[in-house]
Amino acid sequence: MSNTDLEIIVDDPTAPEPDSPAVCSTRTVEIVVSLLLLALAVTLGIDNYATGISWDDTGPQPGYFPFYLSVILGLASLFGLITTLLARAPSDTFVTRAQLRRVLLVFLPTAAFCLAMQVLGLYVASFLLISGFMRFVGKIAWWKSLLTAFVFTAIMFVTFDIAFDVIMPKGPLEAAFGR
Amino acid sequence: MEAFGLLLHGFAVLMTWKIMALMVIGLVLGIFVGVLPGLGGPNGVAILLPLTFTMDPTSAIVMLSCIYWGALFGGAITSILFNIPGEAWSVATTFDGYPMAQQGRAAEALTAAFTSSFIGSLVAVLLITFLAPMISSFALKFGPPEFFAVYLLTFCSFVGLGREAKHKTVISMALGLLIAGIGMDTVSGTLRMTFGSNELLRGINFLVAVIGLFGISEILLTMEERLALRGHAAKISLRTVINVWKDLPKYWMTLLRSSVIGCWLGITPGGAIAASFMGYNLAKRFSKDPESFGKGRIEGVFAPETAAHASGTAALLPMLALGIPGSGTAAILLGGLMVWGLNPGPLLFVEHKDFVWGLIASMYLGNVVGLVIVLTTVPIFASILRVPFAAVAPMIVVSCAIGAYAIQNAMFDIWLMLGFGVVGYIFKKIGIPLAPFTLALVLGNRAEDAFRLSMIGSGGSVGVFWSNGLVGTITTIAITLLFWPLIDRAFAGIGRLMRPTPASA
């Protein structure tokens, strides 16, 4: 009997549609990123110039090294901008609408988790993120989602707070238990 | 011989139940992140780094390096069984590994991959054992100009030898160096690039950036694609292992060649990707039957895996001996050393013998234990892929957040991590490489300090970088490497001009 008689098949019920329309091209994103980097280089260059880019009794002033790095960053970004603008080859799709929707499906809950962490503490926010994500994004059964979230959060709590004494942000629930 | 004695001492340091247990945990976690689609060595090490914050440096580095070995082993599982290279350096393994799996020889291909990984790493660890102490004792004579020249060599070789568009590598590196400079200037105490923000006073921690760039961005990228898999299951029997090992002497030349290529490209920042392709291509070129490559030839698995793992391991040599990482993952490990208050570089061999030799000994032991674990547990790890990504993704996000917060106990770092996650996602999609960024972030302050000290010493003359044979040679090589693509093109042009045209022949 060969070893390949068994196959592992994993399906993805939330897969993005292959024919989803493009939101933007890679060329557009490259132009925007080059412009942003150029703006950053100019801002940092001005700031470092103000800090001091010449020499004093102690050698080069604090802005000297980062100023010239800003110049290098600016020149490289400008080069990237020009080559992208002059490129004639058709550009790839940066992201399709379906792909963007899936990226936001992770990004938005992650941002909400970061916000919740400030109010509810790390462990409650983690429990909500894991159970909510599994249930609403992964369409996994409620009981599995809640159980997984509880077990994972409990393991994290025991590992970091109890075993290794790493202090994590706490919220009202932990306060109610006196921690 | 002295190295041998110190290595034995290193083994003695490791022989505690605690460290052995951490080694196994590290390997298992590493194989886990290696198998999971979208994750890999650097991401795994970055995400799991917080687990080690409260450990003593030796335990921590042993666990982290074992996560790294485990991830390297795990990558081969998906390449061979699912035709999904977890990392770019596993691409060449799929050329012959997946056809072998399709022919019902998955167990043979996996054994070949794990064995060659082990051999590649072993050769590189032997090199580290005997070369690193010599380089570090030589480097003890270095002054600031020599150190800056070595940093310059590292940066220039990334630009000159990298596969990516040169301006993108420069952008990545300059941005990393600038971010490293945010906060209080270490020499004068002046604030730089903080724009009045109290949060930026302490600077941007390297690990926060890395966790965002590698961990969060990878989750965003992985989610974007269809997470469906279809592949082969495999179980490795003792008989298969013995049969593959019996045939090893037949491929000694391939293994040796790939090990040498891997070690060379690991020490220089050529990297594991270049090593694996070069190993594969050379094995094909020197083969008596090159046509059979790509159709399920075991040598096509041996060659890239040996080279990639020799390279991944050898990248730790400059990190240990000079404090200059040879790869992105080595840079993250180096950041870890700094978290534990260790100063990587030549002094490490003098001041922290237990640590250095414990780490080197763990490379030997970790590879042996890792080989045994992967050979015996392949079916379990392959079945990890059945766990829905919707369950894995939020757990990784939580682990990243814990890591980012734990470094400085600052909520601001959580938002920075998220921001770097988005930057990493965009950079990866438009081809701006992240390894030079990581390297620049880690080395930024040291490079600036070395530069400033050199300039102060010389009264502002850049001639200090050519003031003696050693520093002059390193600086000249650095500049040559920076312009290497132009030099290469010029040589090719001259070659074309010298060649007689068909009409004149």
Side-chain angles (χ1 to χ4, degrees):
Chain A
M1 191 178 99
S2 82
N3 285 323
T4 53
D5 288 347
L6 285 169
E7 275 205 319
I8 293 179
I9 299 165
V10 181
D11 260 333
D12 181 6
T14 58
E17 309 91 66
D19 55 349
S20 177
V23 175
C24 58
S25 68
T26 304
R27 186 170 179 265
T28 312
V29 177
E30 284 199 29
I31 291 169
V32 173
V33 169
S34 297
L35 285 170
L36 286 173
L37 287 170
L38 197 57
L40 181 74
V42 171
T43 314
L44 294 181
I46 293 169
D47 188 66
N48 284 307
Y49 184 81
T51 309
I53 62 162
S54 54
W55 281 67
D56 60 17
D57 304 339
T58 58
Q61 287 181 322
Y64 183 91
F65 197 69
F67 174 79
Y68 288 102
L69 286 171
S70 309
V71 173
I72 293 172
L73 177 66
L75 289 175
S77 309
L78 195 64
F79 180 82
L81 182 67
I82 293 168
T83 48
T84 314
L85 286 171
L86 294 179
R88 287 187 185 164
S91 177
D92 301 331
T93 299
F94 181 77
V95 69
T96 66
R97 196 178 296 166
Q99 285 175 331
L100 182 64
R101 195 178 61 85
R102 278 169 69 92
V103 171
L104 290 176
L105 272 179
V106 189
F107 181 75
L108 294 178
T110 303
F113 161 72
C114 295
L115 205 63
M117 213 171 136
Q118 286 178 292
V119 186
L120 303 171
L122 173 86
Y123 298 108
V124 175
S126 304
F127 176 81
L128 292 174
L129 175 74
I130 297 167
S131 57
F133 198 89
M134 285 177 72
R135 177 68 199 125
F136 296 113
V137 179
K139 311 273 185 259
I140 296 166
W142 265 118
W143 73 270
K144 281 186 194 169
S145 307
L146 291 173
L147 186 68
T148 310
F150 181 76
V151 170
F152 183 78
T153 311
I155 291 172
M156 288 290 119
F157 180 74
V158 171
T159 309
F160 287 99
D161 247 78
I162 297 175
F164 290 109
D165 221 11
V166 182
I167 298 154
M168 288 290 156
K170 304 276 169 35
L173 183 74
E174 289 92 346
F177 284 101
R179 287 195 72 97
Chain B
M1 265 299 105
E2 192 201 353
F4 187 70
L6 290 163
L7 182 64
L8 285 180
H9 173 69
F11 279 110
V13 171
L14 291 188
M15 289 303 158
T16 66
W17 283 111
K18 187 188 152 201
I19 290 190
M20 295 306 280
L22 287 174
M23 186 179 280
V24 174
I25 293 169
L27 283 162
V28 171
L29 286 172
I31 300 167
F32 189 80
V33 292
V35 167
L36 282 174
L39 289 180
N43 311 318
V45 175
I47 293 168
L48 297 168
L49 195 68
L51 283 178
T52 62
F53 281 167
T54 51
M55 295 178 190
D56 64 276
T58 309
S59 309
I61 196 74
V62 165
M63 187 168 161
L64 280 182
S65 61
C66 284
I67 291 171
Y68 183 38
W69 312 134
L72 288 173
F73 278 123
I77 298 176
T78 49
S79 297
I80 291 168
L81 297 182
F82 295 89
N83 204 20
I84 301 170
E87 291 280 354
W89 67 65
S90 303
V91 172
T93 310
T94 62
F95 297 163
D96 282 272
Y98 188 64
M100 283 178 79
Q102 284 178 311
Q103 293 159 15
R105 296 160 60 207
E108 202 185 323
L110 285 167
T111 309
F114 298 148
T115 309
S116 46
S117 308
F118 172 77
I119 294 170
S121 293
L122 189 70
V123 173
V125 180
L126 281 168
L127 190 76
I128 291 174
T129 309
F130 295 102
L131 211 57
M134 282 159 64
I135 295 174
S136 71
S137 62
F138 177 62
L140 282 173
K141 296 178 190 126
F142 280 18
E146 284 80 7
F147 267 111
F148 181 75
V150 176
Y151 293 130
L152 189 71
L153 177 68
T154 313
F155 295 140
C156 291
S157 47
F158 257 99
V159 178
L161 304 178
R163 293 174 311 137
E164 295 84 2
K166 304 301 167 207
H167 71 280
K168 289 183 176 175
T169 309
V170 172
I171 286 174
S172 175
M173 210 167 266
L175 201 59
L177 288 167
L178 278 166
I179 290 176
I182 291 176
M184 196 179 283
D185 171 31
T186 46
V187 177
S188 65
T190 313
L191 292 178
R192 301 189 299 189
M193 298 177 276
T194 57
F195 301 98
S197 159
N198 288 336
E199 299 285 1
L200 288 176
L201 284 182
R202 59 175 175 266
I204 292 179
N205 190 285
F206 148 76
L207 288 168
V208 174
V210 163
I211 290 171
L213 286 172
F214 287 92
I216 300 292
S217 75
E218 207 57 53
I219 295 288
L220 297 176
L221 272 174
T222 310
M223 258 314 270
E224 193 183 80
E225 299 304 327
R226 184 179 158 82
L227 302 168
L229 305 162
R230 177 179 277 271
H232 304 277
K235 189 173 183 294
I236 299 175
S237 67
L238 186 63
R239 182 189 282 181
T240 313
V241 176
I242 292 169
N243 284 340
V244 172
W245 287 3
K246 251 195 322 204
D247 282 347
L248 277 179
K250 272 202 281 188
Y251 304 107
W252 72 272
M253 193 58 208
T254 302
L255 294 168
L256 182 68
R257 194 191 305 117
S258 287
S259 299
V260 172
I261 293 166
C263 287
W264 173 249
L265 290 174
I267 296 169
T268 60
I273 303 166
S276 65
F277 281 103
M278 202 185 275
Y280 184 86
N281 288 336
L282 286 180
K284 193 174 168 181
R285 183 186 284 183
F286 287 105
S287 168
K288 284 176 189 153
D289 182 17
E291 297 303 315
S292 63
F293 275 78
K295 294 173 185 161
R297 194 183 162 114
I298 199 163
E299 218 176 332
V301 176
F302 278 134
E305 282 288 314
T306 310
H309 288 244
S311 168
T313 310
L316 300 179
L317 195 155
M319 180 195 98
L320 281 174
L322 298 170
I324 295 166
S327 69
T329 317
I332 298 169
L333 286 175
L334 189 135
L337 298 190
M338 291 170 170
V339 170
W340 307 305
L342 297 172
N343 197 13
L347 277 176
L348 207 60
F349 278 83
V350 180
E351 291 171 351
H352 300 281
K353 277 189 179 166
D354 276 7
F355 169 80
V356 173
W357 289 101
L359 169 62
I360 295 175
S362 84
M363 293 179 187
Y364 287 96
L365 265 183
N367 273 302
V368 175
V369 178
L371 182 66
V372 174
I373 292 177
V374 282
L375 284 174
T376 49
T377 56
V378 159
I380 301 169
F381 283 107
S383 66
I384 285 170
L385 288 162
R386 290 197 174 101
V387 178
F389 192 70
V392 177
M395 291 185 203
I396 295 174
V397 169
V398 171
S399 307
C400 290
I402 290 176
Y405 183 84
I407 297 161
Q408 300 181 115
N409 286 352
M411 256 329 280
F412 179 69
D413 286 351
I414 299 284
W415 294 106
L416 267 182
M417 170 199 81
L418 196 62
F420 276 111
V422 176
V423 170
Y425 167 76
I426 295 170
F427 275 18
K428 279 178 188 170
K429 290 203 78 171
I430 62 172
I432 296 182
L434 294 183
F437 184 92
T438 317
L439 189 84
L441 259 179
V442 178
L443 296 182
N445 287 327
R446 296 154 145 243
E448 186 181 353
D449 288 349
F451 176 78
R452 283 167 83 172
L453 288 171
S454 309
M455 295 303 268
I456 291 166
S458 71
S461 162
V462 286
V464 70
F465 300 117
W466 280 274
S467 59
N468 63 54
L470 178 64
V471 71
T473 308
I474 303 173
T475 312
T476 308
I477 294 173
I479 290 169
T480 310
L481 282 178
L482 179 67
F483 294 107
W484 182 249
L486 293 176
I487 296 168
D488 194 34
R489 212 178 295 166
F491 274 125
I494 294 166
R496 264 197 305 275
L497 285 174
M498 303 281 278
R499 222 175 292 139
T501 55
S504 64

